[in-house]
Amino acid sequence: MLDQYGRTIEYLRVSVTDRCNLRCRYCMPEEGVELLQHEQILSYDEIERIVRLCAKMGISKVKLTGGEPLVRKGLSSLLRRLKRIDGIEDVTLTTNGVLLESQIDDLVEAGLTAVNISLDTLDRAQYEELTRRDQLEEALRGLEAALSYPQLQVKINCVTLLGKNEEQWTKLAAFAKEKPVDVRFIEMMPIGIGQSDPNGSQKIVYDHLVQVFGEARNLSGRFGNGPAVYKQFPEFKGKIGFISAVSHQFCDGCNRIRLTADGFLKPCLQYSTGKDLKELLRSGKSDQEIFEAIKETIYRKPRSHQFKNSENEGHMCDTKQMEQRKMSSIGG
């Protein structure tokens, strides 16, 4: 389906839970956040119904996120159900990897085609400092378990934290040199707690990598569902990607919408606008009525975020429309 600016919207990110087994400093406070009650989050039946309706209007790619999606029981059963929906080509997963080793077999058997593993450092003490949990070894075992499936596309996501983990960037990038895994460096989006952290921009990270690995060549085309741009360093088995929402705004090509764990459909990460699909589902609305609500939300997707601007254009000027929730509540 096309939005009002002519962009093809084909990618749905589904948060299945707001719960997480880590407490990353840029995501949530040490004491955690007020969690949704079980009855407040969408059931798997409700998620399947929404995805089925989205597929009828052109959504073909689904990413399961959280929180940490693997803390929700029976995730592989949901994945299997979504893969069977006509029009859904890919169901992928983003995870911190801590619980992945014990679940990867069921996930792949259910039809998982790709997995993104969040990993900001390979230093155990720093990992514990950043996540407030001493579970780096579990995350690395999850990564290795994913790599044991050659048909599975595996990516590492590193949030670039200037002044904190820059000494880890080349070490993480080395995974792509030695293994068929893509390593992506992600600029911190100025939402929630993370907006106070100094951002390692794409240029800063790239210049850092060039000092060790030499110049890279640009790669054209798309190598996943999202907006990453990729480079190929000499003698690397995998690729290096950059997701740079702040320094290299990619809104013109944005193809995604987001469904939060409590059933709110968000057309743009920065804004609180969207549609409460859970309320429609649980008030007995028909598939056609829900379909029309999804269609309208997609069509009215904002032209762009304004992370770098203090003022916003047009109908998005109202600061009351800016997202106030933390990333853990929205979905990664």
Side-chain angles (χ1 to χ4, degrees):
M1 176 179 168
L2 300 180
D3 70 3
Q4 61 183 320
Y5 300 108
R7 295 170 295 196
T8 299
I9 309 303
E10 59 184 356
Y11 177 26
L12 173 66
R13 295 176 68 93
V14 178
S15 175
V16 299
T17 180
D18 63 330
R19 297 171 187 269
C20 188
N21 49 347
L22 300 181
R23 292 292 181 271
C24 295
R25 291 181 177 273
Y26 54 76
C27 187
M28 66 174 71
E30 185 172 7
E31 67 274 14
V33 295
E34 184 176 353
L35 297 173
L36 296 170
Q37 298 301 307
H38 182 72
E39 64 273 10
Q40 292 177 287
I41 66 173
L42 294 178
S43 69
Y44 284 171
D45 287 343
E46 290 170 328
I47 292 173
E48 181 182 6
R49 185 180 176 190
I50 290 172
V51 173
R52 194 176 299 278
L53 292 171
C54 286
K56 290 182 178 180
M57 62 185 72
I59 295 294
S60 60
K61 303 171 178 62
V62 176
K63 173 82 73 180
L64 300 178
T65 74
E68 169 50 46
L70 294 182
V71 303
R72 184 161 179 183
K73 294 181 179 179
L75 189 68
S76 62
S77 66
L78 173 65
L79 196 156
R80 182 177 293 104
R81 291 163 67 172
L82 299 184
K83 280 283 288 187
R84 291 173 178 169
I85 295 174
D86 288 342
I88 298 300
E89 300 170 0
D90 292 312
V91 181
T92 60
L93 173 72
T94 185
T95 173
N96 59 39
V98 171
L99 300 174
L100 187 58
E101 182 183 26
S102 63
Q103 298 189 41
I104 189 66
D105 294 345
D106 289 340
L107 292 166
V108 172
E109 191 276 331
L112 184 69
T113 53
V115 59
N116 298 344
I117 299 173
S118 299
L119 191 61
D120 298 330
T121 179
L122 295 173
D123 179 87
R124 180 175 176 180
Q126 186 177 59
Y127 183 93
E128 184 173 5
E129 193 272 333
L130 288 175
T131 68
R132 301 189 178 97
R133 298 291 186 271
D134 182 16
Q135 293 189 293
L136 175 61
E137 292 304 317
E138 290 91 334
L140 292 175
R141 288 201 301 268
L143 171 62
E144 290 300 323
L147 288 170
S148 71
Y149 286 92
Q151 76 273 30
L152 191 65
Q153 185 179 40
V154 181
K155 299 175 182 178
I156 294 173
N157 288 344
C158 170
V159 176
T160 55
L161 305 168
L162 197 60
K164 294 182 179 179
N165 71 340
E166 60 259 52
E167 77 284 354
Q168 294 292 312
W169 297 343
T170 55
K171 296 177 182 178
L172 287 162
F175 270 107
K177 183 175 184 179
E178 304 298 332
K179 299 177 183 291
V181 57
D182 295 343
V183 178
R184 288 111 58 85
F185 294 95
I186 303 174
E187 290 181 354
M188 175 72 69
M189 292 189 181
I191 292 177
I193 296 174
Q195 61 188 307
S196 62
D197 284 313
N199 205 347
S201 70
Q202 177 176 324
K203 184 180 187 307
I204 291 173
V205 178
Y206 178 68
D207 289 348
H208 200 88
L209 299 183
V210 166
Q211 294 179 22
V212 176
F213 302 115
E215 291 286 344
R217 62 184 176 90
N218 295 327
L219 297 175
S220 59
R222 176 166 283 185
F223 300 94
N225 297 333
V229 296
Y230 286 89
K231 296 179 181 290
Q232 187 72 57
F233 281 91
E235 301 180 359
F236 270 48
K237 293 181 180 179
K239 301 180 292 296
I240 298 297
F242 296 91
I243 301 177
S244 309
V246 179
S247 68
H248 293 70
Q249 188 182 75
F250 44 73
C251 298
D252 285 349
C254 186
N255 63 344
R256 70 182 62 185
I257 53 176
R258 297 169 182 265
L259 182 66
T260 66
D262 58 351
F264 192 81
L265 188 65
K266 286 177 60 66
C268 180
L269 180 64
Q270 187 178 24
Y271 303 111
S272 60
T273 54
K275 196 70 175 180
D276 186 351
L277 298 185
K278 182 180 69 176
E279 192 277 329
L280 298 180
L281 289 166
R282 297 185 182 181
S283 62
K285 299 299 183 183
S286 67
D287 279 359
Q288 186 59 38
E289 289 173 304
I290 299 171
F291 181 91
E292 293 299 329
I294 297 171
K295 182 178 178 181
E296 179 184 5
T297 302
I298 292 176
Y299 181 77
R300 293 178 62 81
K301 181 177 170 70
R303 180 188 292 276
S304 67
H305 65 67
Q306 300 293 332
F307 288 146
K308 296 179 72 173
N309 298 335
S310 58
E311 296 182 357
N312 301 287
E313 299 178 358
H315 68 284
M316 300 312 297
C317 284
D318 187 354
T319 56
K320 293 180 181 178
Q321 293 183 332
M322 294 298 181
E323 183 60 76
Q324 301 300 316
R325 291 185 293 177
K326 298 178 176 62
M327 282 296 292
S328 59
S329 299
I330 300 169

